[in-house]
Amino acid sequence: LEASPVQLAVGSWSGDMCNSQALPGGRGMAVRFAAHAVRCLLELPGNDPRLDRLAAAAVLMEQESRLGGFSCWSSAEMALQVEDVLRLQQTSMPMLDATDGDDFEGMEQFPAIEALALHVAFEQMREAVRKGRRLPGHEELLVLVAQSLLKRDFTCGRQVAAAVTFELAQCCF
């Protein structure tokens, strides 16, 4: 039997890979990358269809996980949503695998930054499904992603925006 994309993805992103030790370049570089990733979500409208697709994939993948990897019903469109999640994970890997000696110039536009932001958002959605909570709305999702990536507590999107602005200004000096 061949594994479905959902079966391949269940559990493929384990642990908190978004801590400052996992991001390249130590604390300073980690904060820079994290701030750029969170900025991607700040600029993303709350009704962006990518967020809806990530939410659907989170529900589907968590159902698969609960069934022990056995396939629950899904359509070709649902399988594509899961494949999108796998692409996000794969695209963010170069950033996570980077080392201090790598050339980081221009990484702000690197697709891995946005992929990391969206994948962390997906993981926050999946965690909500796993715990039987409602899926987070845009602002709550922004706060959760910022807390995960920036390793700080936030209570609202304005605090996140201010922290990102501050961190990015620090990186430029």
Side-chain angles (χ1 to χ4, degrees), residues 10-165:
V10 170
S12 66
W13 180 272
S14 59
D16 184 9
M17 294 182 68
C18 300
N19 60 38
S20 59
Q21 291 80 22
L23 292 171
R27 169 98 177 114
M29 192 61 69
V31 171
R32 177 179 169 207
F33 281 115
H36 280 290
V38 174
R39 185 179 70 181
C40 288
L41 282 187
L42 279 166
E43 294 171 352
L44 195 67
N47 62 353
D48 190 292
R50 291 179 291 180
L51 296 175
D52 293 337
R53 289 192 301 272
L54 291 175
V59 171
L60 180 63
M61 289 173 67
E62 199 50 39
Q63 286 176 344
E64 289 279 334
S65 177
R66 288 179 184 164
L67 294 173
F70 290 103
S71 183
C72 61
W73 72 271
S74 67
S75 66
E77 181 181 351
M78 293 165 84
L80 288 174
Q81 290 169 350
V82 172
E83 288 173 13
D84 287 346
V85 169
L86 293 174
R87 271 191 294 282
L88 286 175
Q89 180 181 356
Q90 186 176 35
T91 303
S92 64
M93 285 300 149
M95 190 186 82
L96 294 171
D97 291 340
T99 62
D100 286 328
D102 289 344
D103 180 15
F104 294 108
E105 198 63 36
M107 286 289 275
E108 296 81 14
Q109 280 71 45
F110 196 61
I113 299 291
E114 182 180 58
L116 177 64
L118 291 172
H119 199 81
V120 174
F122 162 78
E123 285 300 322
Q124 292 297 330
M125 292 176 194
R126 188 170 178 189
E127 184 66 17
V129 173
R130 185 177 296 123
K131 292 183 175 180
R133 298 187 318 241
R134 65 173 177 74
L135 289 168
H138 186 256
E139 184 167 358
E140 182 183 359
L141 186 62
L142 176 62
V143 167
L144 291 169
V145 170
Q147 288 174 339
S148 177
L149 290 173
L150 296 172
K151 301 298 180 197
R152 295 173 40 194
D153 289 329
F154 299 99
T155 58
C156 67
R158 284 193 321 234
Q159 283 183 339
V160 171
V164 166
T165 299

